[in-house]
Amino acid sequence: MSLSNAVKLKLKQKGMTVKDLAMVMDIPYTTLASMFSRGLEKVDVNKFIDICVAMDEKPEEIIKLAYKDASKPTADAIKEMENALERLGLPKDTLDKMSEEDLKAFLDMARRYLISRS
């Protein structure tokens, strides 16, 4: 599930709409709607936090909701991670040597890092 869909789900649970959220945040609806259509993964992390605060939700809870059903990483994602590890001076097989718990933690950190860079 995308961050946009996770936020929309939480809004629905609270009986709110994106338009309601825009009013709470005191920003134009069209601005917020544009963020949702582009994907909240691409907005500045501070803007994502502002959205969460306006909803009275913790950002980490929205992120957990968005990624709780994430499937195993694709071959391309694994290759990217291996390349990143290699650039850090770690062997490519580092991922193979990680326990499932450590790998999940690593992937979660990588997701949070990517979100913060968007």
Side-chain angles (χ1 to χ4, degrees):
M1 172 184 311
S2 69
L3 284 176
S4 297
N5 287 339
V7 169
K8 286 178 184 177
L9 178 63
K10 284 292 189 180
L11 284 172
K12 186 176 181 178
Q13 290 172 353
K14 293 173 179 284
M16 294 177 69
T17 64
V18 173
K19 191 173 257 186
D20 296 330
L21 181 60
M23 288 185 350
V24 170
M25 294 180 69
D26 196 28
I27 63 172
Y29 165 73
T30 53
T31 300
L32 191 58
S34 176
M35 288 182 216
F36 275 85
S37 68
R38 283 191 321 258
L40 293 179
E41 290 83 357
K42 296 178 182 175
V43 301
D44 176 75
V45 68
N46 292 320
K47 188 54 70 179
F48 174 70
I49 291 170
D50 290 345
I51 290 168
C52 294
V53 168
M55 293 173 46
D56 195 30
E57 291 286 340
K58 294 180 180 177
E60 59 270 22
E61 293 303 319
I62 299 293
I63 292 168
K64 283 181 192 175
L65 177 63
Y67 293 110
K68 75 174 186 167
D69 295 326
S71 61
K72 293 183 178 179
T74 64
D76 287 342
I78 291 171
K79 185 167 180 63
E80 280 186 52
M81 287 187 286
E82 288 173 342
N83 290 338
L85 290 171
E86 198 170 57
R87 285 192 301 275
L88 293 171
L90 299 168
K92 283 186 176 184
D93 66 348
T94 300
L95 295 176
D96 295 330
K97 295 177 182 177
M98 295 173 111
S99 69
E100 186 172 335
E101 184 177 308
D102 289 342
L103 183 56
K104 284 180 183 178
F106 174 78
L107 292 173
D108 190 45
M109 286 187 299
R111 281 187 195 107
R112 286 194 307 262
Y113 175 73
L114 288 172
I115 290 167
S116 73
R117 287 185 52 188
S118 298

